[in-house]
Amino acid sequence: MDDFSRSWTALRAAVAGLADEDFARPSGCAGWLVRDLVCHLVIDAQDVLITLATPADTPPTRDAASYWEVSETPPTGEDPLDALTVRLAAAYEDPGLLRFHLDDVGSAAGRAAVLAEPGGWVGTRGEVLTVGDYLSAYVVEWTLHHLDLVAHLPQAPRPPAESLAAARRLFERIAGAPFPATLSDTDALLVGTGRRAPGPAERTALAAAGVRIPLSLG
């Protein structure tokens, strides 16, 4: 619960601190501007609210790691839902409206997470998870997207070290192997998800560790 709140609070604060012109800059998500990414975060926040308000009466079928559908093909931005997000983001026109909407819905999602019972069962995407596992899965989402947000904004605040470490731990569970200790938490996440190509030494270390990359999470 603390990891969720920490990562989500930091990401929303980073968005709140953006200048209007920053919304038209590229993000670390292929084919998306910063405004498209922020619009995606609004949709994510809505998903969190919906899931936390959808109790399940059957035992969990997935945990924080198996929640993710894993592909070895990074997204290109051409998926129909991605395209819809781009059109929706453009419709905001004024970045202030998009900033306000994320703060409004995002704050509600943050409060709902704090109030939720970690051991409770919730349903999402046809599966059942404990609240704790569901929120833990989103630490990876928030942290990766925080890195996406600041990819071309060198002055913007980076994700907290604790969030990066928590996201890396879960990503290693998803990957089924620990990443080499020579990779920082940020590099492990960027390289592991195909957001950055590994250098020769990194590629050698990853191969020696038995880590297959890239892994795209959906």
Side-chain angles (χ1 to χ4, degrees):
M1 304 290 278
D2 289 344
D3 287 332
F4 176 95
S5 295
R6 181 185 297 112
S7 58
W8 187 219
T9 299
L11 177 51
R12 286 162 37 225
V15 172
L18 296 178
D20 283 359
E21 58 267 25
D22 291 336
F23 283 75
R25 300 185 190 278
S27 78
C29 291
W32 277 6
L33 302 176
V34 166
R35 73 182 186 190
D36 306 324
L37 173 60
V38 175
C39 186
H40 172 74
L41 295 177
V42 172
I43 296 171
D44 268 353
Q46 292 171 339
D47 285 344
V48 169
L49 283 169
I50 291 168
T51 299
L52 293 179
T54 308
D57 54 9
T58 55
T61 55
R62 299 205 181 191
D63 62 14
S66 60
Y67 166 81
W68 295 104
E69 298 292 340
V70 181
S71 169
E72 295 184 6
T73 304
T76 63
E78 297 176 356
D79 179 88
L81 182 56
D82 291 346
L84 175 61
T85 300
V86 171
R87 294 197 299 273
L88 181 59
Y92 277 90
E93 295 186 357
D94 179 2
L97 295 176
L98 186 52
R99 192 186 293 111
F100 171 78
H101 197 182
L102 177 64
D103 179 66
D104 193 33
V105 181
S107 296
R111 290 191 297 270
V114 170
L115 294 172
E117 171 55 49
W121 299 343
V122 290
T124 182
R125 305 198 303 190
E127 304 288 349
V128 177
L129 294 88
T130 66
V131 168
D133 274 331
Y134 175 71
L135 296 179
S136 292
Y138 260 85
V139 175
V140 174
E141 176 84 352
W142 301 149
T143 305
L144 284 172
H145 282 329
H146 196 148
L147 293 172
D148 292 330
L149 182 79
V150 304
H152 301 281
L153 299 171
Q155 303 306 315
R158 268 46 190 169
E162 299 91 339
S163 300
L164 289 164
R168 177 186 183 147
R169 287 193 297 271
L170 181 53
F171 190 70
E172 289 179 334
R173 284 176 54 197
I174 296 168
F179 280 67
T182 52
L183 267 69
S184 69
D185 294 337
T186 295
D187 287 333
L189 292 169
L190 293 177
V191 171
T193 58
R195 285 167 164 81
R196 177 174 75 74
E202 292 171 329
R203 188 175 297 279
T204 299
L206 288 164
V211 178
R212 295 175 58 188
I213 60 168
L215 297 179
S216 176
L217 308 183

